[in-house]
Amino acid sequence: MLPIVCIQKNFTIPAPGDISVVSQSGTLATIITLGGSTEGIRFSKYISSGNEADLHSGDFIEYFAQDPKTKVVIALIEGFKDGKKFMNASREVTKRINRSLP
């Protein structure tokens, strides 16, 4: 007996916005961005950091801290290789985003 395969086709490209996502899971990041897009939520950047052999979540959050198009950061992180760097990057992005809010 052949296995039953279910494929959902949804190739919607999210409309540009001001929310950036970094996730170690590409599947969860995709679900968030596609699901959010169907609800009218708009995203700026989407990064799947995978196993983080070279670049880590903290590196991407540091990038988002400098990105004028990012007003909100969503981070789905299973574990940290450099917790101190992550905390410093998180503080920096929070400061920058708070300065840009009315």
Side-chain angles (χ1 to χ4, degrees):
M1 175 187 256
L2 295 174
I4 297 172
V5 178
C6 177
I7 299 174
Q8 179 180 357
K9 296 186 298 181
N10 186 347
F11 297 105
T12 306
I13 297 173
D18 57 7
I19 300 172
S20 293
V21 178
V22 60
S23 173
Q24 290 174 324
S25 167
T27 300
L28 288 178
T30 300
I31 289 169
I32 286 171
T33 54
L34 291 178
S37 293
T38 63
E39 298 297 321
I41 298 170
R42 298 171 172 240
F43 297 90
S44 173
K45 310 278 185 304
Y46 158 140
I47 296 171
S48 173
S49 61
N51 68 4
E52 299 187 350
D54 186 26
L55 295 172
H56 304 196
S57 300
D59 298 312
F60 298 114
I61 293 172
E62 282 179 345
Y63 171 77
F64 294 152
Q66 304 303 316
D67 177 29
K69 293 182 181 179
T70 297
K71 301 276 189 271
V72 175
V73 175
I74 297 173
L76 302 161
I77 302 166
E78 299 162 15
F80 302 101
K81 295 192 178 176
D82 186 348
K84 187 173 183 176
K85 182 175 189 171
F86 171 79
M87 290 304 296
N88 289 338
S90 296
R91 284 186 195 99
E92 188 59 36
V93 76
T94 300
K95 283 185 217 171
R96 198 219 20 106
I97 288 172
N98 284 340
R99 283 193 301 264
S100 69
L101 295 175

